[in-house]
Amino acid sequence: MKGFYVFLGVHSEKEKESSQVRVVKKKVLHPCYDPTDKVNDLMLVKLNKPVKQTTMVKWLRLGNTAKDPAAGTSCLVAGWGKTNNVARKMSDVLKSVNVTVIDRVKCNSPKYYNFRPIITRDMICAGSNGQNHADTCQGDSGGPLLCGGALVGVTSFGIGCGVIDKPGVYSFLSEKQLVWIKKTTNKSEI
């Protein structure tokens, strides 16, 4: 199979045949994405045909404004990425875990990211509650950050996996980002 594909309704990588398969027709990277500073780490994909909602495939509608989750908020992340720092391959089954939102000032402190890169208002830090090792890992990028059942972020980057003072960082679906998403998806050429 050449190109990029999206498999919907999959729980296990080994059972893809029961899923809806769509070809990625077009990819649109955020025009202000900066790989060095890791800002605006968002990409939209246009599929070759519509997705059918089923018992295994659901979607969340994007709201008009996204609420910035407060520090201490418990959120859910999911993905098929690696399950720890030494794993050689990604998980066969979809995994999820609750992560705790961490204040941006704390996330920028010397013990955490030390401004390398700067954790901006368009990013959310979330990970360990100080006692567990909850996190996303390599292979989870682009996955959802759900807070209170709402999609508020997309998995972006981190240092290692499950490191208590190096939480995962998520692109926040702020009002500015939602405007870009709606404007881009409304264009006829996309």
Side-chain angles (χ1 to χ4, degrees), residues 138-154:
Q138 285 74 33
D140 290 327
S141 294
L145 174 68
L146 301 162
C147 301
L151 179 65
V152 299
V154 177

Side-chain angles (χ1 to χ4, degrees), residues 41-108:
D41 187 10
L42 294 169
M43 178 184 285
L44 299 174
V45 293
K46 181 175 179 132
L47 305 178
N48 66 325
K49 60 184 180 178
V51 172
K52 295 175 187 151
Q53 196 162 188
T54 68
T55 56
M56 296 299 288
V57 177
K58 306 272 187 222
W59 52 76
L60 295 168
R61 297 201 183 277
L62 290 176
N64 291 328
T65 57
K67 184 179 177 202
D68 192 355
T73 301
S74 180
C75 300
L76 180 75
V77 292
W80 282 272
K82 293 181 178 184
T83 55
N84 61 55
N85 286 310
V86 295
R88 294 184 188 261
K89 56 184 184 173
M90 300 196 331
S91 176
D92 171 58
V93 295
L94 179 64
K95 300 278 189 178
S96 65
V97 69
N98 287 317
V99 292
T100 302
V101 174
I102 296 160
D103 180 78
R104 287 181 186 96
V105 172
K106 184 176 186 177
C107 208
N108 275 315

Side-chain angles (χ1 to χ4, degrees), residues 124 143-146 150-155 170-173:
I124 298 170
L145 174 68
L146 301 162
L151 179 65
V152 299
V154 177
T155 304
Y170 303 82
S171 292
F172 176 39
L173 295 180

Side-chain angles (χ1 to χ4, degrees), residues 1-181:
M1 293 168 61
K2 286 187 175 183
F4 293 95
Y5 294 83
V6 174
F7 295 86
L8 300 117
V10 175
H11 175 71
S12 169
E13 286 282 316
K14 293 175 185 166
E15 299 171 11
K16 286 182 183 175
E17 61 277 350
S18 63
S19 67
Q20 295 179 52
V21 180
R22 300 294 184 266
V23 176
V24 174
K25 191 173 171 180
K26 185 171 186 176
K27 298 181 286 182
V28 181
L29 186 62
H30 194 288
C32 299
Y33 170 61
D34 183 331
T36 303
D37 292 333
K38 303 185 188 315
V39 294
N40 300 305
D41 187 10
L42 294 169
M43 178 184 285
L44 299 174
V45 293
K46 181 175 179 132
L47 305 178
N48 66 325
K49 60 184 180 178
V51 172
K52 295 175 187 151
Q53 196 162 188
T54 68
T55 56
M56 296 299 288
V57 177
K58 306 272 187 222
W59 52 76
L60 295 168
R61 297 201 183 277
L62 290 176
N64 291 328
T65 57
K67 184 179 177 202
D68 192 355
T73 301
S74 180
C75 300
L76 180 75
V77 292
W80 282 272
K82 293 181 178 184
T83 55
N84 61 55
N85 286 310
V86 295
R88 294 184 188 261
K89 56 184 184 173
M90 300 196 331
S91 176
D92 171 58
V93 295
L94 179 64
K95 300 278 189 178
S96 65
V97 69
N98 287 317
V99 292
T100 302
V101 174
I102 296 160
D103 180 78
R104 287 181 186 96
V105 172
K106 184 176 186 177
C107 208
N108 275 315
S109 72
K111 184 178 176 187
Y112 284 73
Y113 280 92
N114 199 24
F115 297 106
R116 284 178 274 184
I118 297 170
I119 306 304
T120 71
R121 289 183 297 165
D122 289 322
M123 299 173 186
I124 298 170
C125 274
S128 170
N129 62 9
Q131 299 171 5
N132 64 6
H133 294 271
D135 200 359
T136 49
C137 202
Q138 285 74 33
D140 290 327
S141 294
L145 174 68
L146 301 162
C147 301
L151 179 65
V152 299
V154 177
T155 304
S156 180
F157 69 93
I159 296 175
C161 308
V163 180
I164 288 181
D165 56 2
K166 298 291 185 269
V169 181
Y170 303 82
S171 292
F172 176 39
L173 295 180
S174 63
E175 188 170 351
K176 174 179 77 171
Q177 302 300 17
L178 290 172
V179 167
W180 171 73
I181 290 168

